[in-house]
Amino acid sequence: MRPLPVGSRALVPALALTLALSFAPALARAAAPPPQAKDCVACHDQVDLEAFRPRAHGGLACVQCHTAITELPHPEKLPPVKCARCHAHEAKDYANSVHGLARMKGKDHAATCASCHGKAHEIVTKSDPASKVARKNMDATCGKCHDGAFLDKLNTRLPHRASRMDLKKMPGK
C-alpha cells in the first residue's frame, strides 16, 4: 500500500474522526445536565431542602448561585457566591455605603451581605417577621456589631438613608 499524499482528501475524514474523539469528553461534559439539588445534598446534608425551599432563594437551582459547579464531584475549594449577579442594585448601594467603603479600605470586620441578612440558605424576605432585616429586628441585627449608644448617635446624625436603610425608621426610634 502506498502512502497518501499530504493534500489527499482521504485525510479529511481521518482528521475529523481524530478531532471528534479528542473533544468527545469535553462535549459530553458540556452536554451533561447541571447537578440538581438532590445531587448536592447527597454530600451537603446540612442543607435541609424542605426548610430551604420556602426561603428567599429556595426557588433557585443550587448552580444558579454556585456557578463554579458544573459537574460532580466539584473541586473542594470554590470561589465565593457573588450576590451581585442577581442583586446588582443592592450591591451598588452596598459599595457606596459605610460598610462597603470600609471593606474596600481593607477593614475586613465591616459588615457584608451575610452579616446583616444571614446565611444565603437561611434568608427570608424582609416582610417575614423572622427576617434579620425586618424592621422590628434591625436593632438586634445592627447591635451584633454596634452598641445602643452608637445606634442612637447614628439615628440623630444621619438624616437620610444609609445603604437603603432608613435609620430614623428603625424600631424603637
Side-chain angles (χ1 to χ4, degrees):
M1 212 169 138
R2 81 184 153 99
L4 294 171
V6 173
S8 170
R9 288 186 173 198
L11 287 178
V12 173
L15 181 60
L17 179 63
T18 302
L19 285 172
L21 291 175
S22 65
F23 286 110
L27 291 172
R29 280 193 304 274
Q36 300 298 306
K38 64 179 175 48
D39 303 320
C40 298
V41 297
C43 293
H44 302 281
D45 57 359
Q46 73 277 14
V47 177
D48 178 353
L49 285 180
E50 294 310 309
F52 176 63
R53 285 194 175 107
R55 303 216 168 142
H57 298 119
L60 301 174
C62 300
V63 295
Q64 285 181 269
C65 297
H66 302 280
T67 57
I69 300 172
T70 56
E71 63 184 358
L72 296 177
H74 61 75
E76 193 169 320
K77 183 81 172 141
L78 294 169
V81 168
K82 291 185 169 75
C83 303
R85 282 187 61 246
C86 295
H87 301 286
H89 182 77
E90 292 82 357
K92 184 179 175 187
D93 285 345
Y94 171 79
N96 293 314
S97 75
V98 172
H99 297 125
L101 293 171
R103 285 194 73 78
M104 271 196 289
K105 291 178 182 174
K107 296 183 178 179
D108 293 337
H109 63 279
T112 63
C113 301
S115 302
C116 300
H117 294 276
K119 296 177 182 175
H121 294 156
E122 298 169 4
I123 295 174
V124 294
T125 62
K126 70 179 183 180
S127 61
D128 185 317
S131 172
K132 293 176 185 285
V133 294
R135 236 172 256 263
K136 73 176 187 75
N137 298 328
M138 289 303 294
D139 280 346
T141 298
C142 298
K144 289 186 302 185
C145 300
H146 303 289
D147 63 25
F150 181 78
L151 293 176
D152 288 341
K153 187 168 99 177
L154 278 180
N155 285 321
T156 59
R157 292 181 59 211
L158 292 178
H160 298 291
R161 294 175 188 260
S163 184
R164 298 183 67 198
M165 180 179 73
D166 190 340
L167 293 172
K168 285 187 169 185
K169 292 184 180 174
M170 284 178 57
K173 306 298 176 214

